[in-house]
Amino acid sequence: MSHTTALHGSAKEDILESLYDQFTVDDQCLFKITQTFLSEISDGLSSYGRPMAMIPTFVKGVPDGSETGTFLALDLGGTNLRVCEVTLLGDKTFSLRQQKYKVSEALKTGEVTTLFDYLADSVDAFLTDTPSGGHDSHVSHAEEDSPYVPLALTFSFPVEQSALDSGVLLTWTKGFSAKNAIGKDVVKLLQDAFDRKHIHVKCVALVNDTVGALLSRAYTSGGCILGAIFGTGTNGAYVEEVSKITKLGQNPVAAGGEMIVNTEWGAFNNSRSALPTTPYDNKLDRESINPRFQAFEKFISGMYLGEIARNVILSLIDAAPKPVLFGGRSSALLNKQWGLDSAVLSEIEEAWEGLGRFSAPEQGSPEAQKEEKLRRIQGVLAQRLELSPPDISLEDADIVRKVCNVLGTRAARMSGTAVAAILVHTGRARLWDHGEQSSAGLKDEGKRIGVGVDGSLVEFYPNFQTKLRASLRALVGPEVESRVDIGMAKDGSGVGAALCALVAQRQNQANHINGAYGHDPEDIKVTPSTEVAYITSLSR
């Protein structure tokens, strides 16, 4: 494995200043990134095969919190597989019953049929071992003429959807590389597994986790235009005018209205023409399993922040003519690729801010308080970096703290460009020039703009959302930023999937009535009460 060239400088202060400058993203850089974002959004809406895929999801409209019904959801997006039973209660609330199942490295990298057989077996185990009033335990192995249980699949990987219940896998991310999967319809792969095992479950909807975040936030808050994930990976989905999705061509669904689009913005600017690349970013990309792909994600997501920090720390250990950190001593963990988890950065920030397990009343002079904070960071570094405590000075703790801070700040500020680009593209904001700002002529002028978010960074990383909002304010101005309601999406991958299953059932019912009576599905009005009755009959 290649190593980052060691830093060289005559003074420690010069080395550190140069390093911090590389990772500092000013407002001018944010504007350039946002303008490039807008260009790539337009490219992806007009053409297939673009890095930022702008995938039509065939989900039209968003919920308002009055929806009801009981559905299964299967969530595959990382280390764990989750099976959920979601009951929408119709008053912006829901109940959830769930079970998690471990996805081993062998399943992630083996044959795709083996992976999807495991998914099907997990659903069967959930239905058999933890039955509820909504789905009887015998339903999974019902007689051939029995109705199926409707299920929505939350699949957090790039998929090109051709219908609500059909989508071809474009590429694996997040450490998955199951064989013979690329180019296959993931709904068919799952349904084939159910059918092979005679499990009477039907996958009626395919959902990206960002779409789920949007739908979930819309259901619990009464409205949402953007769902965004800032966690292990990053992505966003938003409500678009169908007329702007010109690549749909003559597809009947392109007749009008609105549709949720899955941006796949983790792949934004794979050319890196606008992204503020450093040697550390280049090293991470070169040694990743997908070089030159998912560029934006590699700058801001939890899967990669720890590795960037590890490379920076190693360069400071190896700095010449004198080491900057730890007296030139490293550890087996620091020498191992991916050895530093991004959660360590969050923990160091918590120790400095006095949050979480480090929260305690501040006592003594400012100097004494700072020393106490640095001693807490010393303890974190000794434990989490597996270093010998005598090798970690207070100055070392302060340098590592500043490295973590500048990396976390860059990630949060760059995340704000994605949100800003969607607001500008949809006509809810203009790029702000720091002059007088008017919201006249903007969509949703003067109204709340709902944004649903999920992911470990936005939920747990200290000050991440505060810094994201500061970036957003610099890009679209304080008036628009003040109206952006950023809220956690409550279990988007479960509740959002349930809402997608409801949409699928409505479409299926409308198509059934259309076939029987010759009506246009757009003319069919399915009330919540008839929907509940219909779903209940399917679930018996």
Side-chain angles (χ1 to χ4, degrees):
M1 184 182 298
S2 61
H3 293 279
T4 303
T5 302
L7 294 168
H8 188 282
S10 58
K12 179 185 295 187
E13 292 74 16
D14 294 338
I15 290 175
L16 292 173
E17 183 177 358
S18 173
L19 183 65
Y20 299 147
D21 284 347
Q22 289 185 63
F23 287 102
T24 298
V25 182
D26 61 20
D27 289 354
Q28 185 177 0
C29 182
L30 294 179
F31 271 85
K32 181 182 178 182
I33 294 171
T34 307
Q35 288 168 334
T36 307
F37 238 117
L38 290 167
S39 176
E40 293 199 17
I41 286 172
S42 296
D43 288 346
L45 290 173
S46 61
S47 305
Y48 289 99
R50 300 289 184 174
M52 209 161 104
M54 304 301 292
I55 300 167
T57 66
F58 300 88
V59 178
K60 303 188 78 173
V62 296
D64 61 11
S66 65
E67 293 77 9
T68 57
T70 299
F71 302 89
L72 286 180
L74 176 61
D75 176 19
L76 177 66
T79 305
N80 292 314
L81 163 72
R82 193 169 58 119
V83 184
C84 313
E85 181 186 74
V86 182
T87 300
L88 306 172
L89 302 175
D91 57 357
K92 300 183 180 180
T93 66
F94 60 90
S95 63
L96 175 69
R97 190 173 60 89
Q98 63 179 327
Q99 183 66 47
K100 289 184 179 180
Y101 302 88
K102 184 78 173 177
V103 181
S104 66
E105 289 302 314
L107 288 169
K108 291 180 182 179
T109 59
E111 276 294 325
V112 69
T113 51
T114 304
L115 173 63
F116 278 83
D117 279 346
Y118 179 73
L119 267 59
D121 286 337
S122 300
V123 173
D124 188 31
F126 179 82
L127 290 170
T128 303
D129 299 340
T130 56
S132 77
H135 301 112
D136 294 334
S137 59
H138 69 272
V139 125
S140 61
H141 289 287
E143 298 300 322
E144 289 299 319
D145 59 350
S146 297
Y148 60 80
V149 177
L151 174 143
L153 170 63
T154 298
F155 193 75
S156 304
F157 304 94
V159 170
E160 189 74 65
Q161 284 193 243
S162 55
L164 188 54
D165 60 352
S166 179
V168 170
L169 178 65
L170 298 176
T171 182
W172 285 116
T173 57
K174 305 177 188 175
F176 279 71
S177 59
K179 302 174 183 65
N180 300 312
I182 307 301
K184 299 287 182 63
D185 185 335
V186 294
V187 173
K188 187 175 187 305
L189 287 171
L190 180 60
Q191 194 60 53
D192 286 349
F194 285 139
D195 294 346
R196 276 194 302 273
K197 297 174 177 294
H198 306 290
I199 300 170
H200 276 235
V201 172
K202 183 173 182 180
C203 186
V204 298
L206 177 63
V207 192
N208 182 272
D209 54 354
T210 50
V211 177
L214 192 162
L215 294 174
S216 172
R217 183 63 181 169
Y219 178 80
T220 57
S221 70
C224 184
I225 62 100
L226 169 65
I229 306 296
F230 299 109
T232 302
T234 185
N235 192 15
Y238 72 103
V239 180
E240 179 62 280
E241 296 173 19
V242 174
S243 61
K244 291 184 179 179
I245 315 173
T246 55
K247 65 183 177 183
L248 286 173
Q250 299 303 309
N251 190 313
V253 80
E258 295 180 327
M259 180 189 295
I260 297 176
V261 170
N262 167 23
T263 68
E264 289 298 334
W265 72 34
F268 162 67
N269 203 220
N270 279 343
S271 67
R272 299 184 179 233
S273 61
L275 296 174
T277 301
T278 71
Y280 306 97
D281 299 299
N282 289 336
K283 179 179 187 291
L284 180 146
D285 179 56
R286 185 173 61 252
E287 296 176 349
S288 69
I289 64 172
N290 55 349
R292 299 189 177 276
F293 289 94
Q294 296 298 105
F296 189 60
E297 185 167 81
K298 289 172 180 173
F299 281 78
I300 69 173
S301 72
M303 182 170 182
Y304 301 103
L305 286 180
E307 180 65 4
I308 298 172
R310 185 185 74 88
N311 285 327
V312 173
I313 290 169
L314 281 178
S315 73
L316 293 172
I317 291 172
D318 295 336
K322 296 180 68 174
V324 174
L325 276 180
F326 311 137
R329 295 176 178 83
S330 186
S331 67
L333 183 144
L334 279 173
N335 292 336
K336 178 183 177 183
Q337 187 184 24
W338 310 113
L340 184 59
D341 193 292
S342 296
V344 178
L345 279 70
S346 180
E347 195 169 346
I348 288 170
E349 296 262 30
E350 287 178 354
W352 178 255
E353 296 287 346
L355 302 172
R357 67 184 178 91
F358 303 102
S359 59
E362 293 187 352
Q363 297 178 347
S365 67
E367 293 77 13
Q369 291 176 23
K370 179 179 179 180
E371 181 176 337
E372 175 58 28
K373 291 177 179 180
L374 292 177
R375 292 200 182 283
R376 293 198 296 250
I377 293 173
Q378 273 184 319
V380 173
L381 295 176
Q383 179 182 11
R384 302 286 268 149
L385 304 190
E386 299 177 359
L387 291 162
S388 174
D391 292 334
I392 309 168
S393 68
L394 288 181
E395 185 181 19
D396 290 337
D398 198 31
I399 291 170
V400 174
R401 190 269 302 180
K402 289 176 179 176
V403 166
C404 293
N405 180 266
V406 76
L407 292 178
T409 298
R410 185 182 74 157
R413 283 175 63 78
M414 289 177 65
S415 297
T417 66
V419 178
I422 296 300
L423 296 181
V424 173
H425 172 77
T426 58
R428 291 176 170 85
R430 301 184 186 93
L431 280 178
W432 190 45
D433 61 3
H434 293 76
E436 289 189 13
Q437 185 187 31
S438 171
S439 61
L442 293 177
K443 190 173 183 179
D444 293 334
E445 177 184 346
K447 297 179 181 177
R448 164 191 172 273
I449 303 170
V451 175
V453 295
D454 197 7
S456 54
L457 286 179
V458 74
E459 185 172 6
F460 299 118
Y461 200 98
N463 300 316
F464 187 91
Q465 190 174 147
T466 300
K467 293 173 181 177
L468 185 156
R469 294 200 77 110
S471 168
L472 186 61
R473 188 160 51 252
L475 290 167
V476 301
E479 195 281 328
V480 173
E481 184 272 331
S482 68
R483 293 190 286 110
V484 176
D485 178 16
I486 299 177
M488 293 301 299
K490 296 182 180 179
D491 192 46
S493 57
V495 179
L499 288 158
C500 258
L502 185 148
V503 170
Q505 293 290 24
R506 285 180 173 174
Q507 290 182 183
N508 289 340
Q509 185 183 23
N511 291 337
H512 174 74
I513 296 173
N514 180 35
Y517 300 104
H519 294 300
D520 186 332
E522 292 295 323
D523 296 330
I524 303 298
K525 305 299 182 184
V526 183
T527 66
S529 59
T530 58
E531 181 63 32
V532 174
Y534 180 66
I535 295 167
T536 302
S537 70
L538 284 174
S539 303
R540 286 193 182 118

